[in-house]
Amino acid sequence: MYNPRSTDATEFIDHDEILATLDYAASNRSNIPLMLSILEKGARMQGLTHREALTLLECEDRDIIDATADLARQIKQRFYGNRIVMFAPLYLSNYCVNGCVYCPYHSTNRVIARRKLTQEEIRREVIALQDMGHKRLALEAGEHPTMNPIEYILESIDTIYSIRHRNGVIRRVNVNIAATTVENYRKLRDAGIGTYILFQETYHKENYERLHPTGPKSDYRYHTEAMDRAMHGGIDDVGLGVLYGLNTYRYDFTGLLMHARHLEEVYGVGPHTISVPRICPADDINTSDFPDAISDDLFCRIIAVLRVAVPYTGMIVSTRESAAVRAKALEMGVSQISGGSRTSVGGYTDTSRDDDSAQFDISDRRTLDEVTSWLLDSGHIPSFCTACYREGRTGDRFMSLVKTGNIARCCAPNALFTLKEYLEDYAGADVKRKGLAAIERELAALPDERIREITSRRLAEISAGKRDFRF
C-alpha cells in the first residue's frame, strides 16, 4: 500500500499506485478544465502531486503544453533568476563489479580500458580543472569493494580540497558513488561533501532487476533506500535522477516524484537536485537496444513539468545532451549544467582517454569558456558559487530560504563574485567583455541598495586581486 512516510522502498514507491496514476493520467489527457486547474495550482509555485504532474505531462493540447513551458520559465526565474550553476564531473575509477546492462563499466566488458587514478594523478586532473576555472566537481567512481573502497574515496576528496594552484581552488565536491551504509555516509559528511547524488535508473522493480542482473546494485530495495541512509548519516543535500530510456518514461517520472515527496514527508526536505540524463551511446552500449528512448521534444516537456512539480529543486543537465537541447532545457527550468566535461578516467590531462574509458559519449564538447560565452549571450549568469555549502545553508535551511525567496539575497551577489573571479582569472578577452557587461546589468538590478553597495565593493576587491574562499 502506498505510504510516502514509510522507509520501505516498496511502500513509498508503490507499484499499484503508479499503475493507477498512469491510468488516471491517460483517461484525463484531454480534460482541459482539469489541466487548467493543475496549471492554476502550479502557478502558486508550491508544487504538484505525482498524479497531477503526470496528467499534465500526458496532455497533447498545444495551448496547455505552451502554458506549461511558460509557467516553468516563470518558476525558474522566480527562484533562480538568471543564474546557472557550473560544475564538472571527475572520474576517479571505472573498475566496477556490477552487471548493469546500460553502462560500459559493467563487469563483463572486456574491451573498455580499466583505470584508477592515483592521488598524484588526481592532483593533475584537479589542476587541469582549476586552470579551466571550475570550482565545483561531481566525483564519480564505479562500485568495487577493493579497487574503490570508501577509504579511497575519502582520501581522494581530501586530496582535491588540499590543492591550491594559482587562484584555483575546488570549493565543493559533490559525490556520485554507489549506495552505501549509514556509517559511510557519515564519513562522507565529515569529509565535507556537498550533495550526495545517486540515480535510481528506473523505479520499476522488475525491470530494475533485469537491468542489474549481478552485483551489489542488483538489490532494488538497498539502492532505492540509499537516500534514507544518507539522511540518517547526516547528509541533508541529496540528488535524485532516473536514466530516461531504460523504462517507460511515465512510470519513472511518477516514481521520481513519489521519491521526492517521500524525502519531504519523512525528513522535511526534498531533493536538493534532480538530474535528467537520457540513455546514450558508449563503448559496447547501443541505444537501439533500448526501445523506450525519448525524443528531444518529450525530454524538454518532462523538464518543464518537473520544474512546475518541484519548483524549489535544482535541475541538472549534463553534456550527454547537445548544445541545442541544452539551450531548450535551460528555457524549461534547468539551473545547473556541466561544461568542458570529460567522462573518462584521466580525461582532463589526456583527452585521448575518451576513446577507451569513457562512461558515455559527450554530445556538447565545447570548452568551459565557450559554454560561458554562450550562457552570457543567452542572458544567463554563469555561477561558480558554493557559498551555501560553506555557510551551512543546506537541507531545510536552504529550502526555507528558497521557498521564501530570500535565497536570491545570497545567490545573486555570490554568482556575480564568482563570475568576476572567472573573468579575471580564466576568460578570453571577448568573454570577459561580455561578462563584465552582464555583471553591471545584474548589479543595477539588485533590489536592495545596501546589497548593491556591498556587492559593488567586493567586486572591486576581486578586480584588485582578492579571492574569497567563502563564495
Side-chain angles (χ1 to χ4, degrees), residues 334-359:
V334 161
S335 57
Q336 296 188 27
I337 65 171
S338 51
S341 301
R342 294 288 182 270
T343 65
S344 53
V345 180
Y348 293 105
T349 51
D350 182 359
T351 57
S352 67
R353 293 290 179 187
D354 278 353
D355 295 330
D356 66 2
S357 66
Q359 188 183 38

mmCIF file of all heavy atoms in Angstrom, residues 334-359:
data_model
loop_
_atom_site.group_PDB
_atom_site.id
_atom_site.type_symbol
_atom_site.label_atom_id
_atom_site.label_comp_id
_atom_site.label_asym_id
_atom_site.label_seq_id
_atom_site.Cartn_x
_atom_site.Cartn_y
_atom_site.Cartn_z
ATOM 1 N N VAL A 334 16.056 24.165 -16.227
ATOM 2 C CA VAL A 334 17.326 23.640 -15.727
ATOM 3 C C VAL A 334 18.123 24.771 -15.088
ATOM 4 O O VAL A 334 18.162 25.896 -15.609
ATOM 5 C CB VAL A 334 18.123 22.982 -16.871
ATOM 6 C CG1 VAL A 334 19.600 22.836 -16.529
ATOM 7 C CG2 VAL A 334 17.522 21.617 -17.190
ATOM 8 N N SER A 335 18.785 24.475 -13.952
ATOM 9 C CA SER A 335 19.519 25.509 -13.223
ATOM 10 C C SER A 335 20.995 25.174 -13.028
ATOM 11 O O SER A 335 21.744 26.006 -12.522
ATOM 12 C CB SER A 335 18.875 25.738 -11.846
ATOM 13 O OG SER A 335 18.825 24.529 -11.109
ATOM 14 N N GLN A 336 21.420 23.958 -13.408
ATOM 15 C CA GLN A 336 22.827 23.575 -13.306
ATOM 16 C C GLN A 336 23.252 22.824 -14.562
ATOM 17 O O GLN A 336 22.501 21.956 -15.032
ATOM 18 C CB GLN A 336 23.087 22.677 -12.092
ATOM 19 C CG GLN A 336 22.839 23.317 -10.758
ATOM 20 C CD GLN A 336 23.312 22.426 -9.604
ATOM 21 O OE1 GLN A 336 24.219 21.620 -9.756
ATOM 22 N NE2 GLN A 336 22.698 22.593 -8.453
ATOM 23 N N ILE A 337 24.438 23.140 -15.081
ATOM 24 C CA ILE A 337 24.965 22.413 -16.225
ATOM 25 C C ILE A 337 26.466 22.196 -16.052
ATOM 26 O O ILE A 337 27.143 22.939 -15.347
ATOM 27 C CB ILE A 337 24.707 23.134 -17.575
ATOM 28 C CG1 ILE A 337 25.464 24.458 -17.636
ATOM 29 C CG2 ILE A 337 23.225 23.341 -17.816
ATOM 30 C CD1 ILE A 337 25.420 25.099 -19.019
ATOM 31 N N SER A 338 26.953 21.178 -16.710
ATOM 32 C CA SER A 338 28.394 20.939 -16.749
ATOM 33 C C SER A 338 28.980 21.630 -17.972
ATOM 34 O O SER A 338 28.265 21.952 -18.921
ATOM 35 C CB SER A 338 28.688 19.441 -16.787
ATOM 36 O OG SER A 338 27.940 18.807 -17.815
ATOM 37 N N GLY A 339 30.281 21.833 -17.935
ATOM 38 C CA GLY A 339 30.953 22.486 -19.056
ATOM 39 C C GLY A 339 32.385 22.016 -19.178
ATOM 40 O O GLY A 339 33.076 21.846 -18.175
ATOM 41 N N GLY A 340 32.845 21.786 -20.416
ATOM 42 C CA GLY A 340 34.209 21.324 -20.636
ATOM 43 C C GLY A 340 34.446 19.937 -20.073
ATOM 44 O O GLY A 340 35.574 19.597 -19.699
ATOM 45 N N SER A 341 33.402 19.107 -20.030
ATOM 46 C CA SER A 341 33.465 17.835 -19.315
ATOM 47 C C SER A 341 34.244 16.759 -20.055
ATOM 48 O O SER A 341 34.294 16.727 -21.282
ATOM 49 C CB SER A 341 32.048 17.305 -19.059
ATOM 50 O OG SER A 341 31.293 18.221 -18.315
ATOM 51 N N ARG A 342 34.803 15.837 -19.266
ATOM 52 C CA ARG A 342 35.355 14.580 -19.755
ATOM 53 C C ARG A 342 34.749 13.468 -18.909
ATOM 54 O O ARG A 342 34.690 13.578 -17.686
ATOM 55 C CB ARG A 342 36.878 14.549 -19.632
ATOM 56 C CG ARG A 342 37.590 15.551 -20.529
ATOM 57 C CD ARG A 342 37.515 15.127 -22.002
ATOM 58 N NE ARG A 342 38.226 16.044 -22.873
ATOM 59 C CZ ARG A 342 37.690 17.107 -23.456
ATOM 60 N NH1 ARG A 342 36.402 17.381 -23.242
ATOM 61 N NH2 ARG A 342 38.396 17.880 -24.247
ATOM 62 N N THR A 343 34.310 12.397 -19.560
ATOM 63 C CA THR A 343 33.662 11.296 -18.845
ATOM 64 C C THR A 343 34.560 10.065 -18.778
ATOM 65 O O THR A 343 34.084 8.958 -18.539
ATOM 66 C CB THR A 343 32.326 10.927 -19.511
ATOM 67 O OG1 THR A 343 32.579 10.418 -20.827
ATOM 68 C CG2 THR A 343 31.413 12.129 -19.585
ATOM 69 N N SER A 344 35.843 10.261 -18.976
ATOM 70 C CA SER A 344 36.809 9.178 -18.900
ATOM 71 C C SER A 344 37.714 9.379 -17.690
ATOM 72 O O SER A 344 37.866 10.504 -17.191
ATOM 73 C CB SER A 344 37.653 9.122 -20.177
ATOM 74 O OG SER A 344 38.220 10.379 -20.443
ATOM 75 N N VAL A 345 38.324 8.310 -17.240
ATOM 76 C CA VAL A 345 39.248 8.374 -16.106
ATOM 77 C C VAL A 345 40.572 8.954 -16.605
ATOM 78 O O VAL A 345 41.223 8.387 -17.468
ATOM 79 C CB VAL A 345 39.466 6.979 -15.503
ATOM 80 C CG1 VAL A 345 40.422 7.052 -14.322
ATOM 81 C CG2 VAL A 345 38.133 6.362 -15.081
ATOM 82 N N GLY A 346 40.931 10.119 -16.066
ATOM 83 C CA GLY A 346 42.153 10.790 -16.507
ATOM 84 C C GLY A 346 41.979 11.636 -17.747
ATOM 85 O O GLY A 346 42.961 12.077 -18.347
ATOM 86 N N GLY A 347 40.734 11.914 -18.131
ATOM 87 C CA GLY A 347 40.466 12.580 -19.395
ATOM 88 C C GLY A 347 40.828 14.047 -19.474
ATOM 89 O O GLY A 347 40.946 14.596 -20.563
ATOM 90 N N TYR A 348 41.010 14.712 -18.338
ATOM 91 C CA TYR A 348 41.342 16.138 -18.381
ATOM 92 C C TYR A 348 42.817 16.377 -18.678
ATOM 93 O O TYR A 348 43.180 17.414 -19.227
ATOM 94 C CB TYR A 348 40.950 16.817 -17.062
ATOM 95 C CG TYR A 348 39.461 16.859 -16.859
ATOM 96 C CD1 TYR A 348 38.847 15.992 -15.947
ATOM 97 C CD2 TYR A 348 38.658 17.722 -17.594
ATOM 98 C CE1 TYR A 348 37.476 16.012 -15.762
ATOM 99 C CE2 TYR A 348 37.286 17.747 -17.423
ATOM 100 C CZ TYR A 348 36.700 16.885 -16.501
ATOM 101 O OH TYR A 348 35.333 16.896 -16.337
ATOM 102 N N THR A 349 43.663 15.426 -18.323
ATOM 103 C CA THR A 349 45.087 15.560 -18.641
ATOM 104 C C THR A 349 45.485 14.763 -19.869
ATOM 105 O O THR A 349 46.550 14.989 -20.437
ATOM 106 C CB THR A 349 45.953 15.102 -17.440
ATOM 107 O OG1 THR A 349 45.527 13.815 -17.010
ATOM 108 C CG2 THR A 349 45.821 16.091 -16.298
ATOM 109 N N ASP A 350 44.616 13.839 -20.297
ATOM 110 C CA ASP A 350 44.877 13.053 -21.507
ATOM 111 C C ASP A 350 43.561 12.850 -22.225
ATOM 112 O O ASP A 350 42.815 11.922 -21.932
ATOM 113 C CB ASP A 350 45.515 11.713 -21.140
ATOM 114 C CG ASP A 350 45.868 10.870 -22.373
ATOM 115 O OD1 ASP A 350 45.600 11.335 -23.508
ATOM 116 O OD2 ASP A 350 46.403 9.760 -22.192
ATOM 117 N N THR A 351 43.247 13.737 -23.175
ATOM 118 C CA THR A 351 41.939 13.696 -23.842
ATOM 119 C C THR A 351 41.755 12.454 -24.688
ATOM 120 O O THR A 351 40.624 12.106 -25.048
ATOM 121 C CB THR A 351 41.741 14.945 -24.728
ATOM 122 O OG1 THR A 351 42.813 15.026 -25.673
ATOM 123 C CG2 THR A 351 41.711 16.196 -23.882
ATOM 124 N N SER A 352 42.814 11.739 -25.019
ATOM 125 C CA SER A 352 42.678 10.509 -25.798
ATOM 126 C C SER A 352 41.973 9.423 -24.995
ATOM 127 O O SER A 352 41.496 8.429 -25.553
ATOM 128 C CB SER A 352 44.047 9.999 -26.241
ATOM 129 O OG SER A 352 44.817 9.570 -25.121
ATOM 130 N N ARG A 353 41.887 9.604 -23.674
ATOM 131 C CA ARG A 353 41.232 8.607 -22.833
ATOM 132 C C ARG A 353 39.755 8.464 -23.158
ATOM 133 O O ARG A 353 39.155 7.430 -22.878
ATOM 134 C CB ARG A 353 41.382 8.998 -21.357
ATOM 135 C CG ARG A 353 42.808 8.933 -20.838
ATOM 136 C CD ARG A 353 43.296 7.512 -20.735
ATOM 137 N NE ARG A 353 44.672 7.453 -20.263
ATOM 138 C CZ ARG A 353 45.388 6.342 -20.202
ATOM 139 N NH1 ARG A 353 44.848 5.200 -20.582
ATOM 140 N NH2 ARG A 353 46.633 6.364 -19.770
ATOM 141 N N ASP A 354 39.138 9.494 -23.716
ATOM 142 C CA ASP A 354 37.718 9.405 -24.044
ATOM 143 C C ASP A 354 37.425 8.280 -25.023
ATOM 144 O O ASP A 354 36.303 7.783 -25.103
ATOM 145 C CB ASP A 354 37.229 10.736 -24.639
ATOM 146 C CG ASP A 354 36.894 11.752 -23.559
ATOM 147 O OD1 ASP A 354 36.911 11.379 -22.385
ATOM 148 O OD2 ASP A 354 36.626 12.912 -23.900
ATOM 149 N N ASP A 355 38.413 7.883 -25.777
ATOM 150 C CA ASP A 355 38.199 6.840 -26.771
ATOM 151 C C ASP A 355 38.158 5.441 -26.168
ATOM 152 O O ASP A 355 37.635 4.521 -26.775
ATOM 153 C CB ASP A 355 39.309 6.894 -27.837
ATOM 154 C CG ASP A 355 39.273 8.185 -28.637
ATOM 155 O OD1 ASP A 355 38.169 8.736 -28.802
ATOM 156 O OD2 ASP A 355 40.349 8.630 -29.080
ATOM 157 N N ASP A 356 38.727 5.245 -24.973
ATOM 158 C CA ASP A 356 38.822 3.884 -24.463
ATOM 159 C C ASP A 356 38.303 3.684 -23.044
ATOM 160 O O ASP A 356 38.249 2.556 -22.576
ATOM 161 C CB ASP A 356 40.272 3.384 -24.550
ATOM 162 C CG ASP A 356 41.233 4.154 -23.622
ATOM 163 O OD1 ASP A 356 40.776 5.032 -22.888
ATOM 164 O OD2 ASP A 356 42.433 3.844 -23.659
ATOM 165 N N SER A 357 37.906 4.756 -22.358
ATOM 166 C CA SER A 357 37.479 4.549 -20.975
ATOM 167 C C SER A 357 36.321 5.451 -20.558
ATOM 168 O O SER A 357 36.075 5.618 -19.360
ATOM 169 C CB SER A 357 38.661 4.764 -20.015
ATOM 170 O OG SER A 357 39.087 6.119 -20.037
ATOM 171 N N ALA A 358 35.591 6.023 -21.503
ATOM 172 C CA ALA A 358 34.502 6.945 -21.161
ATOM 173 C C ALA A 358 33.257 6.184 -20.722
ATOM 174 O O ALA A 358 32.949 5.106 -21.240
ATOM 175 C CB ALA A 358 34.178 7.836 -22.348
ATOM 176 N N GLN A 359 32.513 6.770 -19.774
ATOM 177 C CA GLN A 359 31.267 6.148 -19.354
ATOM 178 C C GLN A 359 30.165 6.376 -20.382
ATOM 179 O O GLN A 359 29.298 5.527 -20.575
ATOM 180 C CB GLN A 359 30.818 6.675 -17.992
ATOM 181 C CG GLN A 359 29.618 5.902 -17.454
ATOM 182 C CD GLN A 359 29.105 6.424 -16.145
ATOM 183 O OE1 GLN A 359 29.079 7.630 -15.919
ATOM 184 N NE2 GLN A 359 28.664 5.532 -15.277
#
